[in-house]
mmCIF file of all heavy atoms in Angstrom:
data_model
loop_
_atom_site.group_PDB
_atom_site.id
_atom_site.type_symbol
_atom_site.label_atom_id
_atom_site.label_comp_id
_atom_site.label_asym_id
_atom_site.label_seq_id
_atom_site.Cartn_x
_atom_site.Cartn_y
_atom_site.Cartn_z
ATOM 1 N N LYS I 2 3.711 -25.738 -4.401
ATOM 2 C CA LYS I 2 3.754 -24.327 -4.007
ATOM 3 C C LYS I 2 3.682 -24.215 -2.490
ATOM 4 O O LYS I 2 2.801 -24.827 -1.869
ATOM 5 C CB LYS I 2 2.553 -23.610 -4.606
ATOM 6 C CG LYS I 2 2.895 -22.709 -5.778
ATOM 7 C CD LYS I 2 1.649 -21.971 -6.230
ATOM 8 C CE LYS I 2 1.894 -20.812 -7.151
ATOM 9 N NZ LYS I 2 2.791 -19.763 -6.791
ATOM 10 N N PRO I 3 4.555 -23.441 -1.865
ATOM 11 C CA PRO I 3 4.456 -23.280 -0.410
ATOM 12 C C PRO I 3 3.211 -22.471 -0.023
ATOM 13 O O PRO I 3 2.699 -21.695 -0.827
ATOM 14 C CB PRO I 3 5.724 -22.533 -0.037
ATOM 15 C CG PRO I 3 6.223 -21.920 -1.290
ATOM 16 C CD PRO I 3 5.664 -22.683 -2.451
ATOM 17 N N ASP I 4 2.768 -22.639 1.216
ATOM 18 C CA ASP I 4 1.580 -21.943 1.710
ATOM 19 C C ASP I 4 2.001 -20.653 2.408
ATOM 20 O O ASP I 4 2.637 -20.682 3.466
ATOM 21 C CB ASP I 4 0.812 -22.860 2.669
ATOM 22 C CG ASP I 4 -0.501 -22.234 3.099
ATOM 23 O OD1 ASP I 4 -0.800 -21.105 2.663
ATOM 24 O OD2 ASP I 4 -1.228 -22.879 3.881
ATOM 25 N N LEU I 5 1.624 -19.519 1.809
ATOM 26 C CA LEU I 5 1.972 -18.216 2.390
ATOM 27 C C LEU I 5 0.807 -17.633 3.195
ATOM 28 O O LEU I 5 0.901 -16.537 3.752
ATOM 29 C CB LEU I 5 2.325 -17.224 1.281
ATOM 30 C CG LEU I 5 3.705 -17.327 0.662
ATOM 31 C CD1 LEU I 5 3.791 -16.480 -0.585
ATOM 32 C CD2 LEU I 5 4.776 -16.891 1.639
ATOM 33 N N GLY I 6 -0.316 -18.328 3.230
ATOM 34 C CA GLY I 6 -1.523 -17.807 3.884
ATOM 35 C C GLY I 6 -1.354 -17.670 5.391
ATOM 36 O O GLY I 6 -0.681 -18.489 6.037
ATOM 37 N N VAL I 7 -1.946 -16.610 5.949
ATOM 38 C CA VAL I 7 -1.903 -16.403 7.405
ATOM 39 C C VAL I 7 -3.288 -15.972 7.888
ATOM 40 O O VAL I 7 -4.081 -15.427 7.118
ATOM 41 C CB VAL I 7 -0.864 -15.319 7.831
ATOM 42 C CG1 VAL I 7 0.554 -15.768 7.503
ATOM 43 C CG2 VAL I 7 -1.153 -13.964 7.173
ATOM 44 N N ASP I 8 -3.552 -16.213 9.159
ATOM 45 C CA ASP I 8 -4.794 -15.718 9.776
ATOM 46 C C ASP I 8 -4.381 -14.749 10.883
ATOM 47 O O ASP I 8 -3.715 -15.138 11.845
ATOM 48 C CB ASP I 8 -5.602 -16.889 10.357
ATOM 49 C CG ASP I 8 -6.991 -16.435 10.833
ATOM 50 O OD1 ASP I 8 -7.210 -15.210 10.962
ATOM 51 O OD2 ASP I 8 -7.835 -17.309 11.077
ATOM 52 N N LEU I 9 -4.785 -13.480 10.722
ATOM 53 C CA LEU I 9 -4.371 -12.465 11.704
ATOM 54 C C LEU I 9 -5.318 -12.376 12.897
ATOM 55 O O LEU I 9 -5.077 -11.599 13.816
ATOM 56 C CB LEU I 9 -4.253 -11.094 11.026
ATOM 57 C CG LEU I 9 -3.131 -10.962 9.998
ATOM 58 C CD1 LEU I 9 -3.030 -9.534 9.493
ATOM 59 C CD2 LEU I 9 -1.796 -11.410 10.593
ATOM 60 N N ALA I 10 -6.418 -13.135 12.846
ATOM 61 C CA ALA I 10 -7.344 -13.115 13.997
ATOM 62 C C ALA I 10 -7.874 -14.529 14.244
ATOM 63 O O ALA I 10 -9.074 -14.781 14.152
ATOM 64 C CB ALA I 10 -8.479 -12.134 13.729
ATOM 65 N N PRO I 11 -6.983 -15.452 14.580
ATOM 66 C CA PRO I 11 -7.395 -16.863 14.692
ATOM 67 C C PRO I 11 -8.429 -17.099 15.791
ATOM 68 O O PRO I 11 -9.189 -18.060 15.708
ATOM 69 C CB PRO I 11 -6.085 -17.602 14.996
ATOM 70 C CG PRO I 11 -5.138 -16.561 15.487
ATOM 71 C CD PRO I 11 -5.548 -15.270 14.852
ATOM 72 N N LEU I 17 -9.291 -13.544 10.143
ATOM 73 C CA LEU I 17 -8.861 -12.552 9.154
ATOM 74 C C LEU I 17 -7.783 -13.231 8.316
ATOM 75 O O LEU I 17 -6.584 -13.080 8.540
ATOM 76 C CB LEU I 17 -8.325 -11.286 9.847
ATOM 77 C CG LEU I 17 -7.893 -10.136 8.937
ATOM 78 C CD1 LEU I 17 -9.012 -9.677 8.001
ATOM 79 C CD2 LEU I 17 -7.394 -8.954 9.767
ATOM 80 N N ARG I 18 -8.285 -14.032 7.350
ATOM 81 C CA ARG I 18 -7.369 -14.855 6.556
ATOM 82 C C ARG I 18 -6.860 -14.077 5.348
ATOM 83 O O ARG I 18 -7.636 -13.481 4.605
ATOM 84 C CB ARG I 18 -8.056 -16.141 6.109
ATOM 85 C CG ARG I 18 -7.950 -17.246 7.153
ATOM 86 C CD ARG I 18 -8.775 -18.449 6.799
ATOM 87 N NE ARG I 18 -10.177 -18.202 7.081
ATOM 88 C CZ ARG I 18 -10.727 -18.318 8.299
ATOM 89 N NH1 ARG I 18 -9.983 -18.681 9.326
ATOM 90 N NH2 ARG I 18 -12.004 -18.065 8.485
ATOM 91 N N LEU I 19 -5.542 -14.083 5.178
ATOM 92 C CA LEU I 19 -4.910 -13.363 4.064
ATOM 93 C C LEU I 19 -4.148 -14.346 3.183
ATOM 94 O O LEU I 19 -3.614 -15.335 3.682
ATOM 95 C CB LEU I 19 -3.915 -12.316 4.595
ATOM 96 C CG LEU I 19 -4.370 -11.393 5.740
ATOM 97 C CD1 LEU I 19 -3.277 -10.370 6.023
ATOM 98 C CD2 LEU I 19 -5.675 -10.688 5.399
ATOM 99 N N ARG I 20 -4.064 -14.030 1.884
ATOM 100 C CA ARG I 20 -3.370 -14.954 0.966
ATOM 101 C C ARG I 20 -1.868 -14.983 1.215
ATOM 102 O O ARG I 20 -1.193 -15.958 0.904
ATOM 103 C CB ARG I 20 -3.660 -14.595 -0.499
ATOM 104 C CG ARG I 20 -3.069 -13.280 -0.959
ATOM 105 C CD ARG I 20 -3.174 -13.114 -2.469
ATOM 106 N NE ARG I 20 -4.560 -13.042 -2.907
ATOM 107 C CZ ARG I 20 -5.303 -11.917 -2.888
ATOM 108 N NH1 ARG I 20 -4.779 -10.791 -2.423
ATOM 109 N NH2 ARG I 20 -6.548 -11.915 -3.302
ATOM 110 N N ASN I 21 -1.347 -13.880 1.713
ATOM 111 C CA ASN I 21 0.079 -13.855 2.064
ATOM 112 C C ASN I 21 0.279 -12.829 3.184
ATOM 113 O O ASN I 21 -0.635 -12.035 3.477
ATOM 114 C CB ASN I 21 0.970 -13.562 0.830
ATOM 115 C CG ASN I 21 0.792 -12.144 0.307
ATOM 116 O OD1 ASN I 21 0.916 -11.170 1.043
ATOM 117 N ND2 ASN I 21 0.492 -12.013 -0.984
ATOM 118 N N PRO I 22 1.447 -12.826 3.829
ATOM 119 C CA PRO I 22 1.621 -11.987 5.025
ATOM 120 C C PRO I 22 2.136 -10.586 4.753
ATOM 121 O O PRO I 22 2.722 -9.977 5.652
ATOM 122 C CB PRO I 22 2.643 -12.796 5.832
ATOM 123 C CG PRO I 22 3.480 -13.464 4.804
ATOM 124 C CD PRO I 22 2.607 -13.709 3.605
ATOM 125 N N VAL I 23 1.917 -10.046 3.536
ATOM 126 C CA VAL I 23 2.468 -8.718 3.231
ATOM 127 C C VAL I 23 1.330 -7.714 3.021
ATOM 128 O O VAL I 23 0.508 -7.861 2.118
ATOM 129 C CB VAL I 23 3.389 -8.750 1.992
ATOM 130 C CG1 VAL I 23 4.085 -7.398 1.831
ATOM 131 C CG2 VAL I 23 4.414 -9.873 2.104
ATOM 132 N N LEU I 24 1.313 -6.689 3.880
ATOM 133 C CA LEU I 24 0.278 -5.654 3.852
ATOM 134 C C LEU I 24 0.935 -4.312 3.537
ATOM 135 O O LEU I 24 2.125 -4.120 3.807
ATOM 136 C CB LEU I 24 -0.418 -5.536 5.218
ATOM 137 C CG LEU I 24 -1.223 -6.710 5.763
ATOM 138 C CD1 LEU I 24 -0.316 -7.828 6.281
ATOM 139 C CD2 LEU I 24 -2.109 -6.244 6.921
ATOM 140 N N ARG I 44 -2.491 -9.098 -5.333
ATOM 141 C CA ARG I 44 -1.360 -9.907 -4.865
ATOM 142 C C ARG I 44 -0.871 -9.486 -3.486
ATOM 143 O O ARG I 44 0.119 -9.996 -2.977
ATOM 144 C CB ARG I 44 -0.232 -9.849 -5.894
ATOM 145 C CG ARG I 44 -0.718 -10.453 -7.229
ATOM 146 C CD ARG I 44 0.301 -10.308 -8.315
ATOM 147 N NE ARG I 44 1.440 -11.187 -8.087
ATOM 148 C CZ ARG I 44 2.584 -11.096 -8.769
ATOM 149 N NH1 ARG I 44 2.724 -10.189 -9.689
ATOM 150 N NH2 ARG I 44 3.569 -11.922 -8.513
ATOM 151 N N LEU I 45 -1.598 -8.536 -2.882
ATOM 152 C CA LEU I 45 -1.283 -8.136 -1.498
ATOM 153 C C LEU I 45 -2.005 -9.053 -0.512
ATOM 154 O O LEU I 45 -3.088 -9.551 -0.818
ATOM 155 C CB LEU I 45 -1.787 -6.723 -1.222
ATOM 156 C CG LEU I 45 -1.097 -5.532 -1.868
ATOM 157 C CD1 LEU I 45 -1.889 -4.271 -1.543
ATOM 158 C CD2 LEU I 45 0.326 -5.417 -1.370
ATOM 159 N N GLY I 46 -1.449 -9.177 0.691
ATOM 160 C CA GLY I 46 -2.186 -9.865 1.743
ATOM 161 C C GLY I 46 -3.401 -9.047 2.163
ATOM 162 O O GLY I 46 -4.512 -9.549 2.283
ATOM 163 N N ALA I 47 -3.178 -7.748 2.392
ATOM 164 C CA ALA I 47 -4.268 -6.828 2.727
ATOM 165 C C ALA I 47 -3.780 -5.408 2.471
ATOM 166 O O ALA I 47 -2.573 -5.152 2.395
ATOM 167 C CB ALA I 47 -4.703 -6.977 4.181
ATOM 168 N N PRO I 101 -8.682 -8.063 1.230
ATOM 169 C CA PRO I 101 -9.294 -7.375 2.369
ATOM 170 C C PRO I 101 -8.692 -5.989 2.600
ATOM 171 O O PRO I 101 -7.489 -5.788 2.426
ATOM 172 C CB PRO I 101 -8.962 -8.280 3.565
ATOM 173 C CG PRO I 101 -8.384 -9.528 3.013
ATOM 174 C CD PRO I 101 -7.951 -9.276 1.616
ATOM 175 N N PRO I 244 -1.400 -12.714 17.150
ATOM 176 C CA PRO I 244 -0.467 -12.473 16.039
ATOM 177 C C PRO I 244 0.085 -11.045 16.040
ATOM 178 O O PRO I 244 -0.622 -10.109 16.391
ATOM 179 C CB PRO I 244 -1.331 -12.709 14.787
ATOM 180 C CG PRO I 244 -2.466 -13.548 15.247
ATOM 181 C CD PRO I 244 -2.725 -13.153 16.675
ATOM 182 N N ILE I 261 9.603 -11.863 10.643
ATOM 183 C CA ILE I 261 8.879 -13.127 10.845
ATOM 184 C C ILE I 261 9.684 -14.033 11.775
ATOM 185 O O ILE I 261 9.144 -14.624 12.723
ATOM 186 C CB ILE I 261 8.584 -13.780 9.473
ATOM 187 C CG1 ILE I 261 7.563 -12.915 8.708
ATOM 188 C CG2 ILE I 261 8.084 -15.213 9.635
ATOM 189 C CD1 ILE I 261 7.407 -13.262 7.245
ATOM 190 N N ALA I 265 6.961 -12.135 14.166
ATOM 191 C CA ALA I 265 5.795 -11.537 13.495
ATOM 192 C C ALA I 265 5.128 -12.572 12.586
ATOM 193 O O ALA I 265 5.814 -13.360 11.928
ATOM 194 C CB ALA I 265 6.223 -10.324 12.671
ATOM 195 N N THR I 266 3.804 -12.529 12.550
ATOM 196 C CA THR I 266 3.059 -13.403 11.636
ATOM 197 C C THR I 266 2.952 -12.767 10.258
ATOM 198 O O THR I 266 2.833 -13.459 9.251
ATOM 199 C CB THR I 266 1.639 -13.648 12.216
ATOM 200 O OG1 THR I 266 1.796 -14.347 13.449
ATOM 201 C CG2 THR I 266 0.768 -14.457 11.278
ATOM 202 N N ALA I 267 2.971 -11.434 10.222
ATOM 203 C CA ALA I 267 2.855 -10.704 8.949
ATOM 204 C C ALA I 267 3.675 -9.427 9.043
ATOM 205 O O ALA I 267 4.202 -9.101 10.121
ATOM 206 C CB ALA I 267 1.384 -10.384 8.663
ATOM 207 N N VAL I 268 3.765 -8.701 7.904
ATOM 208 C CA VAL I 268 4.517 -7.444 7.897
ATOM 209 C C VAL I 268 3.744 -6.384 7.128
ATOM 210 O O VAL I 268 2.899 -6.703 6.296
ATOM 211 C CB VAL I 268 5.917 -7.597 7.241
ATOM 212 C CG1 VAL I 268 6.814 -8.517 8.062
ATOM 213 C CG2 VAL I 268 5.808 -8.075 5.799
ATOM 214 N N ALA I 285 6.338 -10.337 -1.239
ATOM 215 C CA ALA I 285 5.552 -11.582 -1.187
ATOM 216 C C ALA I 285 6.187 -12.633 -2.094
ATOM 217 O O ALA I 285 6.324 -13.814 -1.712
ATOM 218 C CB ALA I 285 4.110 -11.310 -1.594
ATOM 219 N N LEU I 288 9.372 -13.942 -0.478
ATOM 220 C CA LEU I 288 9.105 -14.887 0.625
ATOM 221 C C LEU I 288 8.787 -16.269 0.052
ATOM 222 O O LEU I 288 9.273 -17.293 0.559
ATOM 223 C CB LEU I 288 7.936 -14.399 1.489
ATOM 224 C CG LEU I 288 8.189 -13.161 2.355
ATOM 225 C CD1 LEU I 288 6.908 -12.764 3.090
ATOM 226 C CD2 LEU I 288 9.318 -13.417 3.361
ATOM 227 N N GLU I 289 8.002 -16.280 -1.002
ATOM 228 C CA GLU I 289 7.657 -17.563 -1.624
ATOM 229 C C GLU I 289 8.930 -18.247 -2.140
ATOM 230 O O GLU I 289 9.135 -19.450 -1.942
ATOM 231 C CB GLU I 289 6.652 -17.348 -2.760
ATOM 232 C CG GLU I 289 6.216 -18.654 -3.391
ATOM 233 C CD GLU I 289 5.067 -18.503 -4.381
ATOM 234 O OE1 GLU I 289 4.476 -17.418 -4.471
ATOM 235 O OE2 GLU I 289 4.766 -19.501 -5.045
ATOM 236 N N LEU I 292 10.862 -19.788 0.733
ATOM 237 C CA LEU I 292 10.259 -21.043 1.217
ATOM 238 C C LEU I 292 10.575 -22.182 0.248
ATOM 239 O O LEU I 292 10.939 -23.288 0.680
ATOM 240 C CB LEU I 292 8.741 -20.893 1.363
ATOM 241 C CG LEU I 292 8.216 -19.938 2.436
ATOM 242 C CD1 LEU I 292 6.705 -20.034 2.538
ATOM 243 C CD2 LEU I 292 8.836 -20.200 3.790
ATOM 244 N N ILE I 297 10.556 -25.292 2.693
ATOM 245 C CA ILE I 297 9.601 -25.095 3.802
ATOM 246 C C ILE I 297 8.199 -24.995 3.201
ATOM 247 O O ILE I 297 7.980 -24.220 2.268
ATOM 248 C CB ILE I 297 9.950 -23.816 4.597
ATOM 249 C CG1 ILE I 297 11.341 -23.965 5.208
ATOM 250 C CG2 ILE I 297 8.910 -23.536 5.690
ATOM 251 C CD1 ILE I 297 11.909 -22.690 5.772
ATOM 252 N N ARG I 298 7.266 -25.774 3.742
ATOM 253 C CA ARG I 298 5.952 -25.851 3.112
ATOM 254 C C ARG I 298 5.016 -24.724 3.559
ATOM 255 O O ARG I 298 4.161 -24.280 2.824
ATOM 256 C CB ARG I 298 5.327 -27.203 3.423
ATOM 257 C CG ARG I 298 4.748 -27.742 2.145
ATOM 258 C CD ARG I 298 4.184 -29.125 2.147
ATOM 259 N NE ARG I 298 4.966 -30.176 2.716
ATOM 260 C CZ ARG I 298 4.439 -31.088 3.540
ATOM 261 N NH1 ARG I 298 3.189 -31.000 3.908
ATOM 262 N NH2 ARG I 298 5.196 -32.063 3.987
ATOM 263 N N ASP I 299 5.179 -24.259 4.773
ATOM 264 C CA ASP I 299 4.193 -23.333 5.340
ATOM 265 C C ASP I 299 4.939 -22.205 6.063
ATOM 266 O O ASP I 299 5.784 -22.467 6.930
ATOM 267 C CB ASP I 299 3.323 -24.127 6.332
ATOM 268 C CG ASP I 299 2.159 -23.312 6.847
ATOM 269 O OD1 ASP I 299 2.294 -22.070 6.915
ATOM 270 O OD2 ASP I 299 1.136 -23.916 7.188
ATOM 271 N N ILE I 300 4.604 -20.954 5.734
ATOM 272 C CA ILE I 300 5.330 -19.808 6.310
ATOM 273 C C ILE I 300 5.218 -19.776 7.833
ATOM 274 O O ILE I 300 6.113 -19.264 8.521
ATOM 275 C CB ILE I 300 4.862 -18.472 5.684
ATOM 276 C CG1 ILE I 300 5.779 -17.313 6.106
ATOM 277 C CG2 ILE I 300 3.418 -18.127 6.057
ATOM 278 C CD1 ILE I 300 6.298 -16.496 5.020
ATOM 279 N N SER I 301 4.138 -20.363 8.368
ATOM 280 C CA SER I 301 3.963 -20.327 9.824
ATOM 281 C C SER I 301 5.105 -21.063 10.538
ATOM 282 O O SER I 301 5.392 -20.788 11.703
ATOM 283 C CB SER I 301 2.612 -20.927 10.220
ATOM 284 O OG SER I 301 2.594 -22.288 9.876
ATOM 285 N N GLN I 302 5.788 -21.962 9.819
ATOM 286 C CA GLN I 302 6.908 -22.673 10.432
ATOM 287 C C GLN I 302 8.065 -21.728 10.769
ATOM 288 O O GLN I 302 8.925 -22.054 11.589
ATOM 289 C CB GLN I 302 7.428 -23.759 9.483
ATOM 290 C CG GLN I 302 6.504 -24.952 9.348
ATOM 291 C CD GLN I 302 6.956 -25.883 8.216
ATOM 292 O OE1 GLN I 302 6.311 -25.983 7.191
ATOM 293 N NE2 GLN I 302 8.084 -26.529 8.424
ATOM 294 N N LEU I 303 8.079 -20.552 10.134
ATOM 295 C CA LEU I 303 9.195 -19.616 10.363
ATOM 296 C C LEU I 303 8.911 -18.604 11.474
ATOM 297 O O LEU I 303 9.815 -17.930 11.961
ATOM 298 C CB LEU I 303 9.492 -18.842 9.078
ATOM 299 C CG LEU I 303 10.056 -19.644 7.909
ATOM 300 C CD1 LEU I 303 10.246 -18.723 6.708
ATOM 301 C CD2 LEU I 303 11.394 -20.270 8.298
ATOM 302 N N VAL I 304 7.633 -18.471 11.859
ATOM 303 C CA VAL I 304 7.269 -17.411 12.809
ATOM 304 C C VAL I 304 7.970 -17.661 14.153
ATOM 305 O O VAL I 304 7.766 -18.691 14.797
ATOM 306 C CB VAL I 304 5.737 -17.323 13.000
ATOM 307 C CG1 VAL I 304 5.367 -16.316 14.092
ATOM 308 C CG2 VAL I 304 5.060 -16.952 11.690
#
Side-chain angles (χ1 to χ4, degrees):
K2 254 184 166 306
D4 186 0
L5 281 169
V7 295
D8 188 346
L9 293 185
L17 182 57
R18 274 172 283 278
L19 313 185
R20 68 169 64 83
N21 68 54
V23 188
L24 296 75
R44 298 175 71 192
L45 289 174
I261 292 167
T266 296
V268 294
L288 290 177
E289 183 171 351
L292 293 186
I297 298 168
R298 225 174 312 135
D299 187 331
I300 190 128
S301 64
Q302 288 170 250
L303 293 178
V304 174

